[in-house]
Amino acid sequence: MKRDNTNIIGDIVRKLMRNPKLAKKLDELDALNICKEVIGEKLNQYINDIIISNGKLIIKLKSAVLRNELSYQKTNIITKVNNKLGKEIIKEIILK
């Protein structure tokens, strides 16, 4: 007799999403994508790396001039990203 061991993919994904660690990482990935949209395509070419760690968005930049410009827009970027997500994922931005 053959065992029916099939599950609906949606059920499996819902089970995985209940895991708080995985849900947090997926939210952080969404936040990174939204951050890139908010910053804009032209400025993204001057960014070496973007990381989220413990609610801090760490942006490594190629240009000191751009770092100065983005420092004035920190609160605006945080607000836009968190509003698009509907959650407060980013609490602080660090520019390097």
Side-chain angles (χ1 to χ4, degrees):
M1 203 189 279
K2 198 175 195 183
R3 267 179 47 178
D4 187 18
N5 202 14
T6 60
N7 292 318
I8 297 174
I9 292 176
D11 292 338
I12 295 170
V13 171
R14 278 189 278 286
K15 274 186 184 178
L16 288 173
M17 290 300 294
R18 284 188 216 132
N19 182 343
K21 289 182 182 179
L22 181 62
K24 181 181 175 186
K25 288 294 181 186
L26 290 173
D27 286 341
E28 289 177 355
L29 284 173
D30 289 340
L32 286 175
N33 290 332
I34 291 171
C35 182
K36 289 178 182 178
E37 289 176 19
V38 168
I39 290 175
E41 191 176 307
K42 297 234 181 207
L43 297 180
N44 276 325
Q45 60 187 337
Y46 297 105
I47 295 175
N48 283 334
D49 198 14
I50 299 179
I51 303 166
I52 295 181
S53 176
N54 298 328
K56 296 177 184 176
L57 179 67
I58 302 167
I59 303 174
K60 296 180 182 178
L61 301 161
K62 297 177 186 176
S63 167
V65 175
L66 181 61
R67 182 176 31 250
N68 187 36
E69 180 65 31
L70 287 178
S71 69
Y72 295 118
Q73 298 179 16
K74 282 182 179 181
T75 56
N76 188 25
I77 293 170
I78 291 171
T79 303
K80 284 183 179 180
V81 171
N82 287 336
N83 284 343
K84 283 190 176 190
L85 281 172
K87 300 178 184 178
E88 186 181 353
I89 301 295
I90 298 175
K91 297 174 181 94
E92 181 182 355
I93 295 180
I94 299 172
L95 303 171
K96 292 185 175 186

